[in-house]
Amino acid sequence: MANPSEQSVLRRMVAPPRPPHRSGSGGVDRAVRVEFPRTADRLLGLTVEIQSIEQLALEKGEVLALLTPSDLVFVLKAVCGAGIVLVDRGLLSALVEVQATGRVTEAPPVDRAPTKTAAIVASDIVDGWIADVQGGAEAHQPFIGANREDRIIDPRAAGLLLDPVGYHSLRIVMSISGGAKTGVLQV
Protein backbone atom coordinates (compact mmCIF):
# COMPACT_ATOMS: atom_id res chain seq x y z
CA MET A 1 0.00 0.00 0.00
CA ALA A 2 1.23 3.49 -0.84
CA ASN A 3 2.16 6.01 1.77
CA PRO A 4 -0.72 8.56 2.29
CA SER A 5 1.63 11.49 1.81
CA GLU A 6 2.79 10.07 -1.54
CA GLN A 7 -0.86 9.82 -2.70
CA SER A 8 -1.36 13.46 -1.84
CA VAL A 9 1.70 14.49 -3.86
CA LEU A 10 0.61 12.38 -6.84
CA ARG A 11 -2.90 13.84 -6.73
CA ARG A 12 -1.52 17.37 -6.74
CA MET A 13 0.76 16.53 -9.67
CA VAL A 14 -2.11 15.27 -11.86
CA ALA A 15 -4.72 17.78 -10.70
CA PRO A 16 -5.62 20.62 -13.06
CA PRO A 17 -3.82 23.89 -12.32
CA ARG A 18 -5.45 26.36 -9.96
CA PRO A 19 -6.87 29.48 -11.53
CA PRO A 20 -4.58 32.49 -11.22
CA HIS A 21 -5.18 34.73 -8.21
CA ARG A 22 -6.94 37.96 -9.15
CA SER A 23 -5.67 40.89 -7.19
CA GLY A 24 -8.66 43.11 -8.01
CA SER A 25 -7.71 46.74 -7.63
CA GLY A 26 -4.33 45.93 -6.10
CA GLY A 27 -3.17 48.37 -3.47
CA VAL A 28 -6.33 50.45 -3.61
CA ASP A 29 -8.49 47.39 -2.90
CA ARG A 30 -6.38 46.40 0.12
CA ALA A 31 -6.21 49.97 1.43
CA VAL A 32 -9.97 50.42 1.22
CA ARG A 33 -10.79 47.08 2.89
CA VAL A 34 -8.32 47.66 5.72
CA GLU A 35 -8.18 51.42 6.21
CA PHE A 36 -11.79 52.55 5.63
CA PRO A 37 -13.09 50.67 8.71
CA ARG A 38 -10.14 51.91 10.77
CA THR A 39 -10.71 55.52 9.74
CA ALA A 40 -14.46 55.29 10.44
CA ASP A 41 -13.78 53.82 13.89
CA ARG A 42 -11.05 56.35 14.72
CA LEU A 43 -12.97 59.45 13.60
CA LEU A 44 -16.57 58.55 14.46
CA GLY A 45 -16.60 55.31 16.44
CA LEU A 46 -18.52 53.89 13.47
CA THR A 47 -18.49 50.25 12.39
CA VAL A 48 -18.09 49.94 8.62
CA GLU A 49 -17.79 46.76 6.57
CA ILE A 50 -16.78 46.97 2.91
CA GLN A 51 -19.18 44.96 0.76
CA SER A 52 -17.74 45.66 -2.69
CA ILE A 53 -15.16 47.75 -4.50
CA GLU A 54 -15.30 48.47 -8.22
CA GLN A 55 -12.93 50.43 -10.41
CA LEU A 56 -14.74 51.67 -13.49
CA ALA A 57 -13.96 53.70 -16.58
CA LEU A 58 -16.90 56.03 -17.22
CA GLU A 59 -17.75 58.73 -19.74
CA LYS A 60 -19.13 62.09 -18.60
CA GLY A 61 -22.72 61.08 -19.39
CA GLU A 62 -22.39 57.89 -17.33
CA VAL A 63 -21.01 59.87 -14.37
CA LEU A 64 -23.90 62.34 -14.56
CA ALA A 65 -26.43 59.48 -14.78
CA LEU A 66 -25.25 58.26 -11.36
CA LEU A 67 -26.20 61.51 -9.63
CA THR A 68 -29.52 62.05 -7.89
CA PRO A 69 -30.73 65.23 -6.14
CA SER A 70 -30.45 63.47 -2.73
CA ASP A 71 -26.72 62.66 -3.14
CA LEU A 72 -24.05 64.80 -1.53
CA VAL A 73 -21.55 65.74 -4.28
CA PHE A 74 -18.21 67.35 -3.45
CA VAL A 75 -15.84 68.80 -6.04
CA LEU A 76 -12.56 66.89 -6.24
CA LYS A 77 -9.40 68.47 -7.64
CA ALA A 78 -6.63 66.10 -8.71
CA VAL A 79 -3.41 66.30 -10.67
CA CYS A 80 -5.21 64.93 -13.74
CA GLY A 81 -8.13 67.43 -13.51
CA ALA A 82 -11.47 67.92 -11.80
CA GLY A 83 -13.75 65.20 -10.55
CA ILE A 84 -16.42 64.57 -7.95
CA VAL A 85 -16.93 62.62 -4.74
CA LEU A 86 -20.43 61.22 -4.38
CA VAL A 87 -21.85 60.29 -0.97
CA ASP A 88 -25.22 58.60 -1.46
CA ARG A 89 -28.15 59.32 0.84
CA GLY A 90 -27.73 56.06 2.81
CA LEU A 91 -24.13 56.84 3.75
CA LEU A 92 -24.90 60.51 4.38
CA SER A 93 -27.81 59.60 6.64
CA ALA A 94 -25.59 57.24 8.67
CA LEU A 95 -22.85 59.86 9.02
CA VAL A 96 -25.31 62.50 10.22
CA GLU A 97 -27.07 60.09 12.62
CA VAL A 98 -23.89 58.85 14.29
CA GLN A 99 -22.65 62.38 14.88
CA ALA A 100 -26.03 63.73 16.04
CA THR A 101 -27.23 60.84 18.23
CA GLY A 102 -24.23 58.56 18.63
CA ARG A 103 -25.83 55.64 16.80
CA VAL A 104 -27.15 54.60 13.39
CA THR A 105 -30.81 53.63 13.11
CA GLU A 106 -32.41 51.20 10.69
CA ALA A 107 -34.86 53.88 9.49
CA PRO A 108 -34.71 54.41 5.74
CA PRO A 109 -32.83 57.55 4.69
CA VAL A 110 -34.92 60.59 3.86
CA ASP A 111 -35.06 61.57 0.19
CA ARG A 112 -34.07 65.24 0.29
CA ALA A 113 -31.36 67.50 -1.04
CA PRO A 114 -28.23 67.60 1.13
CA THR A 115 -27.49 70.77 3.07
CA LYS A 116 -24.25 72.61 3.73
CA THR A 117 -24.51 71.43 7.34
CA ALA A 118 -24.64 67.79 6.17
CA ALA A 119 -21.57 68.49 4.02
CA ILE A 120 -19.69 69.84 7.03
CA VAL A 121 -20.68 66.80 9.09
CA ALA A 122 -19.45 64.41 6.37
CA SER A 123 -16.32 66.33 5.36
CA ASP A 124 -13.79 64.92 7.87
CA ILE A 125 -14.60 61.27 7.19
CA VAL A 126 -14.67 61.83 3.42
CA ASP A 127 -11.23 63.50 3.65
CA GLY A 128 -9.97 60.52 5.66
CA TRP A 129 -11.30 58.04 3.12
CA ILE A 130 -9.77 59.99 0.21
CA ALA A 131 -6.43 59.86 2.03
CA ASP A 132 -6.91 56.09 2.49
CA VAL A 133 -7.48 55.65 -1.25
CA GLN A 134 -4.37 57.70 -2.01
CA GLY A 135 -2.36 55.63 0.46
CA GLY A 136 -3.08 52.49 -1.54
CA ALA A 137 -2.82 54.01 -5.00
CA GLU A 138 0.14 53.19 -7.20
CA ALA A 139 1.88 56.01 -9.06
CA HIS A 140 -0.27 55.55 -12.18
CA GLN A 141 -3.57 55.85 -10.32
CA PRO A 142 -5.72 58.91 -11.04
CA PHE A 143 -6.42 59.47 -7.33
CA ILE A 144 -2.90 60.63 -6.46
CA GLY A 145 -2.89 64.24 -5.25
CA ALA A 146 -6.69 64.50 -5.11
CA ASN A 147 -8.20 67.00 -2.67
CA ARG A 148 -11.82 67.60 -1.76
CA GLU A 149 -12.99 71.18 -2.08
CA ASP A 150 -15.38 72.65 0.49
CA ARG A 151 -18.13 73.38 -1.97
CA ILE A 152 -20.92 70.97 -2.81
CA ILE A 153 -22.71 70.88 -6.14
CA ASP A 154 -25.94 69.56 -7.60
CA PRO A 155 -26.23 67.33 -10.70
CA ARG A 156 -26.65 70.35 -13.00
CA ALA A 157 -23.51 72.03 -11.69
CA ALA A 158 -21.64 68.71 -12.02
CA GLY A 159 -22.57 68.69 -15.72
CA LEU A 160 -20.99 72.11 -16.11
CA LEU A 161 -17.89 71.23 -14.06
CA LEU A 162 -16.93 67.96 -15.74
CA ASP A 163 -15.18 67.96 -19.10
CA PRO A 164 -16.42 65.60 -21.85
CA VAL A 165 -13.65 63.03 -21.30
CA GLY A 166 -13.31 59.60 -19.73
CA TYR A 167 -13.19 59.31 -15.93
CA HIS A 168 -11.70 56.73 -13.58
CA SER A 169 -14.18 55.87 -10.85
CA LEU A 170 -13.85 53.98 -7.60
CA ARG A 171 -17.21 52.77 -6.23
CA ILE A 172 -17.25 51.49 -2.64
CA VAL A 173 -20.37 49.90 -1.12
CA MET A 174 -20.40 49.75 2.69
CA SER A 175 -22.54 48.13 5.34
CA ILE A 176 -22.76 50.49 8.31
CA SER A 177 -23.30 49.56 11.97
CA GLY A 178 -23.90 45.87 11.38
CA GLY A 179 -26.22 46.37 8.44
CA ALA A 180 -28.37 49.17 9.90
CA LYS A 181 -27.71 51.12 6.71
CA THR A 182 -25.96 50.54 3.40
CA GLY A 183 -24.13 53.37 1.71
CA VAL A 184 -22.01 54.14 -1.34
CA LEU A 185 -18.98 56.38 -1.69
CA GLN A 186 -17.92 56.98 -5.27
CA VAL A 187 -14.81 58.94 -6.26
Side-chain angles (χ1 to χ4, degrees):
M1 181 164 213
N3 185 354
S5 65
E6 289 175 9
Q7 280 185 335
S8 175
V9 170
L10 289 174
R11 286 182 191 205
R12 283 189 304 223
M13 289 174 65
V14 296
R18 292 182 182 171
H21 175 68
R22 292 183 170 251
S23 62
S25 310
V28 173
D29 186 57
R30 284 188 302 277
V32 167
R33 290 196 186 279
V34 173
E35 295 302 326
F36 268 44
R38 287 180 183 168
T39 300
D41 184 47
R42 179 176 44 83
L43 292 178
L44 302 176
L46 186 64
T47 304
V48 169
E49 180 182 324
I50 304 301
Q51 292 183 329
S52 68
I53 303 167
E54 292 179 277
Q55 283 200 26
L56 307 165
L58 302 173
E59 294 298 319
K60 177 183 175 178
E62 295 171 309
V63 172
L64 296 176
L66 297 171
L67 306 179
T68 67
S70 61
D71 294 331
L72 176 63
V73 182
F74 288 109
V75 175
L76 186 72
K77 291 291 184 181
V79 174
C80 58
I84 59 172
V85 177
L86 176 130
V87 178
D88 83 331
R89 69 181 183 176
L91 180 57
L92 181 60
S93 176
L95 295 175
V96 170
E97 285 178 5
V98 76
Q99 292 184 64
T101 66
R103 65 186 185 92
V104 178
T105 66
E106 293 184 6
V110 179
D111 188 14
R112 66 174 179 228
T115 63
K116 289 183 181 184
T117 303
I120 291 168
V121 167
S123 64
D124 286 343
I125 191 76
V126 169
D127 288 343
W129 284 335
I130 290 171
D132 292 342
V133 168
Q134 290 176 359
E138 290 88 29
H140 68 279
Q141 293 292 333
F143 308 112
I144 297 292
N147 293 309
R148 179 194 60 83
E149 290 189 354
D150 287 334
R151 66 185 170 131
I152 60 173
I153 57 175
D154 60 8
R156 181 183 169 282
L160 297 171
L161 171 80
L162 299 176
D163 292 328
V165 296
Y167 290 90
H168 297 279
S169 176
L170 182 64
R171 184 175 192 272
I172 303 153
V173 180
M174 301 176 234
S175 174
I176 304 156
S177 291
K181 288 208 180 2
T182 301
V184 175
L185 177 77
Q186 191 151 349
V187 182

